[in-house]
Amino acid sequence: MAELTTLARPYAKAVFDAAQDQNAIDQWDRALAFAAQVAADQEVKNILANPGLSEQRKAELFAECFEEPLPEALRNFLLILAENKRLALLPEVSALFRLYRADLEKSVHLTIDSAFELSSDEQQKLIDALSKKLERKVELETTVDQSLIGGVIVRTGDLVIDASVRGKLAKMARALGS
C-alpha cells in the first residue's frame, strides 16, 4: 500500500495543483472519488491488466464508465495515467487528493470507534476537544465496537489513538508478560 501511495503522490499533487489553479477542487474531488470507485471494480481491474489492449483503449473504456462526457482536463489526466500504466492508482490518487484538500481547508476526518453509541452531546465535546488540539475543523464518523469494553479508538490517516479499555488491558498484559 505504501508503495502505491508513493507512486500516486506526484499525480495527486499535480492534479491538486491544477484543481486549485482552476478553482475547481470540489469538482475534481468528486470526479476522482468516482474514478477511484471505478478503478477498484474487479471487472475494471481485469480490463486494466489486459495486455492485449492499448493504453489509449484502456483510457477510453475507463472514460465510458462515466455517465456524462468527461471534461477535457479529466480526460487528459486519465490518458496520462493510462500512458504511464497508472490507472489502477486512482484510489490512491483520490485519497491523497482528499488529504491535500483537508490540509488546505484545515480540516481532518476522524473515525471514532467506541464501545457504546455516543450521544450527539458527547460527539460535540469530542469534536470541540479534538478541533482545539489538532487546530483543524474536525469531521467525525462514529462506529460502535462493543469488544472495546469501554473508551474509544480514534483514527485518521495512519494515526491511531487507542484509549479503549481493551487496548489498556492488552498493554498491561504485554507489560506483565515481559
Side-chain angles (χ1 to χ4, degrees):
M1 181 69 169
E3 182 179 322
L4 295 179
T5 300
T6 300
L7 292 171
R9 189 169 285 115
Y11 297 101
K13 183 68 174 139
V15 78
F16 184 77
D17 290 345
Q20 267 190 295
D21 292 345
Q22 299 165 8
N23 198 24
I25 289 175
D26 197 47
Q27 294 90 330
W28 274 98
D29 193 3
R30 284 193 309 272
L32 287 172
F34 182 76
Q37 287 180 324
V38 171
D41 181 79
Q42 190 55 52
E43 287 183 44
V44 173
K45 286 180 180 180
N46 293 340
I47 291 170
L48 297 178
N50 183 342
L53 292 174
S54 71
E55 301 312 317
Q56 171 89 25
R57 183 64 185 138
K58 290 176 186 178
E60 290 169 0
L61 289 170
F62 196 90
E64 288 174 12
C65 294
F66 287 79
E67 292 176 1
E68 299 176 9
L70 296 181
E72 187 176 345
L74 180 56
R75 183 176 292 281
N76 290 340
F77 181 66
L78 293 176
L79 191 54
I80 289 168
L81 288 175
E83 288 171 357
N84 292 298
K85 299 177 175 31
R86 299 289 192 237
L87 279 171
L89 291 178
L90 275 163
E92 287 77 16
V93 170
S94 178
L96 286 167
F97 186 96
R98 290 228 163 126
L99 287 175
Y100 296 145
R101 180 180 185 172
D103 191 49
L104 176 72
E105 295 173 350
K106 298 270 189 226
S107 67
V108 64
H109 180 85
L110 298 175
T111 302
I112 297 194
D113 300 328
S114 65
F116 305 98
E117 188 75 33
L118 296 175
S119 70
S120 53
D121 193 41
E122 291 169 320
Q123 287 183 31
Q124 191 57 52
K125 285 179 183 176
L126 276 170
I127 289 171
D128 293 344
L130 291 167
S131 292
K132 186 175 180 181
K133 180 163 181 68
L134 300 173
E135 297 178 347
R136 301 233 183 258
K137 176 184 161 211
V138 172
E139 296 173 22
L140 202 59
E141 177 183 335
T142 61
T143 60
V144 174
D145 180 355
Q146 293 177 344
S147 71
L148 298 178
I149 305 169
V152 297
I153 296 177
V154 180
R155 292 184 173 89
T156 182
D158 58 0
L159 173 69
V160 178
I161 301 169
D162 188 346
S164 68
V165 172
R166 182 183 69 193
K168 290 176 182 177
L169 289 173
K171 186 176 178 180
M172 191 183 316
R174 282 191 304 273
L176 292 173
S178 300

